[in-house]
Amino acid sequence: MQKVVYISNSRDVTEQTDVNRNPYLVHLNKLLEEGWVVSQMNTQTVEVDPKLEHYLHKETLVSFVILEKPD
């Protein structure tokens, strides 16, 4: 069985919070604890348009993760 999980994380490069508190990662970590295994991961870092001055974050991490769980 396969499952696709989407992860997106917008962070300021100076942010000091624990990345594992991100709701996407909390969900992914729970699935891994339930026996799902990462079979493929496609990750991109997308810079924020500099014209968007009011945005606090500097980049966004976007990833699609394919999980597999043996039957």
Side-chain angles (χ1 to χ4, degrees), residues 1 3 9 12-13 22 27 37 41 43-44 54-55 65:
M1 175 185 272
K3 181 180 283 200
N9 187 24
D12 184 305
V13 293
N22 175 294
H27 176 66
V37 194
M41 186 169 178
T43 304
Q44 284 187 298
H54 301 294
Y55 280 80
V65 180

Side-chain angles (χ1 to χ4, degrees), residues 5-58:
V5 179
Y6 170 76
I7 300 173
S8 176
N9 187 24
S10 299
R11 295 173 57 90
D12 184 305
V13 293
T14 62
E15 189 175 334
Q16 297 298 313
T17 59
D18 182 359
V19 70
N20 288 309
R21 296 179 126 187
N22 175 294
Y24 292 105
L25 297 181
V26 168
H27 176 66
L28 181 58
N29 285 336
K30 184 174 185 277
L31 291 170
L32 292 173
E33 289 170 2
E34 293 173 358
W36 290 87
V37 194
V38 175
S39 67
Q40 183 177 346
M41 186 169 178
N42 180 352
T43 304
Q44 284 187 298
T45 302
V46 182
E47 292 186 18
V48 174
D49 186 341
K51 296 176 193 167
L52 301 174
E53 298 173 5
H54 301 294
Y55 280 80
L56 295 176
H57 60 275
K58 306 296 183 212

